Structures are given as C-alpha cells and as structure tokens.
Amino acid sequence: MSPATLASNLATRAVPSAIERRDRRAARCRASVSDADVRRGRRHRPVVPITGSSDDDDDDDDDSRVARSPVTPSRRNAILSAVVALAGAASAGAPASAGEILKQLEDLLADTEAAIEADPTNESLLGQRTFFENQLERVQANSTYLDRLRPKVSSGDGGYLQRIVLTVDADLFDDEVYFWKNAMGMRVTRERKGVEGLGGGRCVVFAYGQETLTADDGGKAGVELREASSNKRNLGNGLDYVSVAVPYGIRVSRIYESGGELVYGFGYFDVRSPSGYAVRARVAARRDSAELVAVNVPDVKSAERYYVETFGMVGRAPLDENGYAPKSPPGSRLLTFGDPKETMGLLLQPLVAKVDAGTTLDVGDVYGGVVVVTNGRNGADVTPGVTSDGAGYRVTVEGYDAWEGEVGAGAKTLDAKWNAPLQV
C-alpha cells in the first residue's frame, strides 16, 4: 500500500469515542476474566464463626464449614477484627485526633503481648506482634514528620503540596472513581461541595489515608476528581503522568473492569485511567503513596524559579528510584516541600523532550494543577485563590486553617457509599 493510500485510509477512518474504547476494553476483559461478579462475591463474602471449632482447626472439609450460630470470638480473632477496623478507619479518611491511632496500636500490641504470655509458642500471635510493632514504628515516624511540617504550614513559614486536580467527563466519572479506588487502592476522604467553576457537578478527593496534618497517620496527599460540565475535553500535551507507590499491589483485573488499560507491567505499571490519564504505579512502601505529578513545560528553569520564589519549594534532580521505569528527560527538576521521599512532588520536564520539535505547549483543560496549603510565606503574595505558574498551569492556594476545617467536616459527613465494598 502506498503512503498516499495509507494516509487517505487513516483520514477517512472512523475514530471511536472514549466511551466506545472503554466499552471495547471492558468487553475484552469480560471475555478473558470469567464472571467477575462471582469473584467479587467470593472476595466480600462475610466470615461466619463456626460453633465448636478451635482457633487451630485445620480441617479443610468443605462440608464442615457451614454457617452456624455466632459465638464469642477468640482473643486472636478479636485482635484481628481490631486490625481490620483500625485499617478501615484510617484508609477511609475517618477523622482521628492526635495520638488516637498511636494509642490504638499500643493497646493492640499490649493485648497481643498478653496473649503471647499465655501461649508463647503460637506462631500466629508472634506474627501479629511483629505486624503491630512495624505499624507502630511506621505511625510514630509519620507523626514525627507531621510534628515538623505542621508548625511551618500553620505559621506561614512553609507550604504543603496537598493534592492535584483532574477534570473528568460526566459519562466517565463513576468509572474514574472505580479506577482510583479499586485499582489504585485509594479511598475517598471527602466530597467537596460548591467548588468554583464546577457548575454543580460531583467532586471527590482520594488519598492513601487521612489528609489532615493533625492525626498521627495523616498528611497523605490527594487526587481531586471534578466532574466536567461537558464531555468535550482537551487533554493537551502538558500533563504527562501521575506516579503512585501502591502499598499492597496493583489490581490488574480492576483496571480493565473500570475501563482503563494496562500498557506495560514489568517492574512497574504503565496504566491508563478510563479518561486516558497516564498513571505510573509501583509496589513500594512509602510514607505517602502519592508520589508525584509530572508535567511538561517550555522553560524548566523559569517554572522552577516561580515555585521556589513564590512558595519556598526546593528543586533537585529527579530521584528515578525505579530501575525498570523510564528515566526522567535530561534537564528535568523535581520540586517538593522538604524530603522528596516523604511528600508528594511536582516533576517539571522539558517540553522539547516529550513532543515533536516545534510543538508548543497546550496545557489542555483536564489537568487542574496543584493545590498548595499554607497560611502565607513571610509576606509573599500567596493569598488563597487561583493563580498561574507562568507556564499556564493553575495553582490553587488554600489557607491552612480553612483547609483543615474543610477536611475535618468532609470526613465526618462523607457518605459511606463512596467507600462501600463491591456488591455482588
């Protein structure tokens, strides 16, 4: 086929819409993964205690495992139930006061130690003690980090890169919620109302834990999804990808169930959300699993100067910790408030390294920029509101006190439907 004929065919070929592409991907997934509803039912089937069975009963006879009258749970099961409740409260963004999570973990560890005294050779209890010790150490380290960060943000001596904003087609909003929650492992922490320019559409914030800086296990950056008033969006060439370090693994089947797509999956995961956003995910333990957002800019030095001089962010070379993932383009700069391993960052990449020569920057209308929380910075003009970083990207500034108030109120009034388990 001649180049002219090929070009003519491409020009006249009908291009499927985003909805059609999503439906096709979902159909392929259903063809390759049998009866997802049955799998979900098994995954969320409640556990019913069995009368007369001991904790160490290893009988695998299916006939013996039938629902009987509930009984008083053993000490070990009570501890496990407490673990589930504690993890669920934290991941769902339930409000917690300073010291509350640490106190709960200390109590659980004390209960486990007491159980070990009565049964010192029980491997299950010994494993639980190790788990609680590790969790306690993690939360103590997180609390120490927040004790350093919170006074700086509240006094105006520093800032906090709190979340990124993504706009989603109305027809794909539910699919995006499913993707970030069930495939990427995040939880809805609050539903925002009356957002300027939203036009009455839905708006939710996701995070890998509590957002507030006042809770021991808080300080988790978020992804805000805003429902667009129309389905005519321009992705542009500015937003490159969002990077997350998923603590408990990637759920590939859920990616396809949401209408997303797995582009690559060796050493790291190159994923497309139902709306086409690029997400680079890896399985790793990190203080905050929301790692960074990468954007392309025509002048990296100029963009870096804006964030450094306006907000006091610190620029450095990208970490590029994952040896399997592509390296950041030469000349890229990573901007953070503090240690890049402890907080979410903004990665500035030279546009010329990501697009064809001569192509200008098109920021599009789906990436809503970053949100910086601070009470001001030494008299600098960082009053609450929306501004531009000079390259054309939106930067939203929120006062710390007002933000904490919204986070607390949003967590208390959050509808349970947003984090409900998958239904059969």
Side-chain angles (χ1 to χ4, degrees), residues 296-300 329-330 349-361:
N296 303 322
V297 294
D299 188 338
V300 172
Q349 302 178 146
L351 178 67
V352 294
K354 305 296 291 186
V355 300
D356 295 333
T359 303
T360 58
L361 176 65

Side-chain angles (χ1 to χ4, degrees), residues 13 39-40 46 58 112 115 130 134-135 154 193 195 207 217 221 229 269 287 302 306 312 328 330 347 350 375:
R13 186 181 64 178
R39 295 200 322 277
R40 295 179 192 175
D58 294 326
T112 306
T130 300
N134 291 339
Q135 291 299 306
S154 62
K193 304 286 188 179
V195 178
D217 203 25
S229 56
F269 295 86
R287 191 206 69 81
S302 176
Y306 167 83
S328 301
L347 180 61
N375 270 348

